[in-house]
Amino acid sequence: MLTLRLVLTGDESHDTPLIQQAAAIIRAGGLVAFPTETVYGLGADALNSEAVRRIFLAKGRPAWDPLIVHVDEPDAIRRYTRDYSILTEKLIHAFMPGPLTLVLPKREVISEVVTAGRETVAIRIPQHPVARALIRYSGTPIAAPSANKFGRPSPTTADHVLHDLSGAIDAVLDAGATPMGVESTILDMTTDPPTLLRPGGVPREAIEALIGEVRVLGEAYREGEPLPAPGLSARHYAPSAKVVLCAPLPDAFYSALEDALSRYAFVGAMRPEGWRVPDSTRLQVFEWGVWGDWQTLAQRLFLGLRALEAAGVHAIVCPLPPEEGLAHALRDRLQRAAHD
Ligand code: TXA
Ligand code: MG
């Protein structure tokens, strides 16, 4: 299969026909990768089980790992879910469209292929204008995981998508780099209090300020307990190089790089601006951004991991962000990328 690259320019008269072309592919049961405000998604008609099955094949994703359904308005959430509580109402009002995914009891029309046999469905309203236009023109909810091969770092550009999936999908809508760079926050509304399944674009603190305390999964569940969210396996988002985490201090970073250079022939560094690195021809540096500027660091996280991987490094040294605000999402992705 030849994968079409539909390059958008931000000009409506140029872009609309291309997005309509992509929508026609979705309606015909095809696979289209598209930008959201978080990362690129790999979309198919969520009401067409055959089309949804093709997503799993293209990604190499196990059938037990359910997909997020993308819709363009709150009414659509009511159409596909049940037991819509006042808390859910508040969250939708405050954070949607935006990088928040809610897990809710599903209605019959959402097939078990999408939810991997679960009685719940993960649903969100993306903010990116291209994602919203695609859903609208398709006239159907769009099931979409991140548009990477299963287990790999999520794609933040169309090049990343094509690197992993060229030839396996029908088209990619290319609107440049995605603005946030890390995936949506996933909140399970079927528990009391709600459970944070994945930290993401909407910080836990902002959610708690609105609806009170949420439960956060500890590290413990990773050690052989049944996974509350099937896709949240310990190792994920990983480049082919070994990811080595260090304390978020310039000296610790420098020592971790020296140590890595003594073990590996070619080393990559996710370097915060102004932090010192050893002088070595066996070191490849990715200029990540200013430490503490989490928005920039989030936007460039997967870009950096993929760039260093493409350079051929054997190990990537990276400081570990704190467990707060948007940094929590970066910390989570890096810990999974570093997991053996
Ligand atoms: O920002 C995002 O959320 C991106 C963009 C494309 O929307 N999507 C994304 O999808 O990150 P994916 O498939 O890579 O991650 C979705 C996660 C998976 O870990 C999956 O197991 C979990 O959501 N999930 C989906 N449905 C679920 C459900 N019913 N209950 C619990 N977890 C669920
Ligand atoms: Mg993913």
Side-chain angles (χ1 to χ4, degrees):
M1 176 195 306
L2 187 70
T3 301
L4 269 177
R5 181 183 191 127
L6 304 169
V7 181
L8 308 179
T9 60
D11 164 12
E12 207 178 321
S13 62
H14 172 268
D15 291 353
T16 300
L18 295 182
I19 300 174
Q20 286 171 336
Q21 185 182 351
I25 296 172
I26 295 276
R27 279 197 304 275
L31 300 185
V32 176
F34 62 98
T36 77
E37 71 279 19
T38 59
V39 301
Y40 275 76
L42 177 57
D45 179 351
L47 304 182
N48 176 342
S49 296
E50 255 336 290
V52 173
R53 276 199 193 91
R54 294 184 57 217
I55 292 180
F56 288 88
L57 283 180
K59 272 192 67 120
R61 183 179 180 112
W64 46 258
D65 194 357
L67 307 177
I68 296 176
V69 172
H70 297 67
V71 297
D72 69 342
E73 42 150 9
D75 273 352
I77 297 183
R78 282 197 196 79
R79 257 199 311 283
Y80 302 119
T81 69
R82 292 180 289 109
D83 302 345
Y84 200 88
S85 73
I86 188 79
L87 294 189
T88 299
E89 200 82 63
K90 279 188 177 177
L91 289 165
I92 291 172
H93 186 73
F95 299 117
M96 294 193 189
L100 177 66
T101 297
L102 298 179
V103 172
L104 292 161
K106 78 172 186 75
R107 287 191 198 268
E108 197 97 9
V109 287
I110 299 293
S111 97
E112 301 211 326
V113 182
V114 173
T115 67
R118 303 192 150 219
E119 282 307 310
T120 57
V121 62
I123 195 160
R124 84 178 190 94
I125 306 177
Q127 198 166 37
H128 197 295
V130 173
R132 308 197 67 193
L134 180 65
I135 298 166
R136 217 169 36 249
Y137 292 135
S138 299
T140 185
I142 295 183
S146 49
N148 50 286
K149 277 273 184 197
F150 183 70
R152 303 241 321 123
S154 292
T156 57
T157 67
D159 280 341
H160 295 165
V161 174
L162 291 169
H163 178 275
D164 282 15
L165 299 173
S166 183
I169 65 176
D170 296 289
V172 54
L173 279 167
D174 179 357
T178 55
M180 295 209 65
V182 288
E183 302 84 345
S184 61
T185 301
I186 304 180
L187 195 63
D188 184 350
M189 299 305 293
T190 68
T191 61
D192 184 16
T195 306
L196 183 74
L197 296 180
R198 179 177 73 184
V202 175
R204 168 193 175 183
E205 294 87 337
I207 292 170
E208 291 191 323
L210 187 73
I211 64 164
E213 204 186 329
V214 304
R215 194 159 68 96
V216 181
L217 295 172
E219 306 269 317
Y221 79 88
R222 289 173 194 168
E223 307 307 324
E225 289 175 28
L227 292 171
L232 303 182
S233 46
R235 184 171 167 81
H236 214 97
Y237 309 104
S240 56
K242 165 98 185 137
V243 175
V244 178
L245 301 175
C246 69
L249 297 165
D251 287 351
F253 182 59
Y254 190 91
S255 319
L257 283 168
E258 276 191 320
D259 185 59
L261 284 164
S262 73
R263 292 164 196 268
Y264 300 93
F266 191 24
V267 172
M270 293 288 285
R271 177 200 198 180
E273 198 173 305
W275 291 23
R276 246 166 20 102
V277 298
D279 183 18
S280 169
T281 53
R282 295 187 293 107
L283 186 65
Q284 179 80 27
V285 175
F286 178 76
E287 302 293 351
W288 196 6
V290 174
W291 191 254
D293 176 3
W294 307 122
Q295 272 171 12
T296 302
L297 297 178
Q299 210 258 330
R300 294 169 57 75
L301 172 69
F302 292 131
L303 183 71
L305 294 178
R306 281 181 177 259
L308 292 174
E309 173 187 55
V313 303
H314 306 129
I316 297 173
V317 175
C318 185
L320 186 62
E323 196 172 335
E324 62 185 40
L326 184 59
H328 189 189
L330 275 78
R331 181 183 176 91
D332 170 80
R333 304 308 184 270
L334 281 165
Q335 282 177 328
R336 290 179 208 283
H339 203 282
D340 289 318

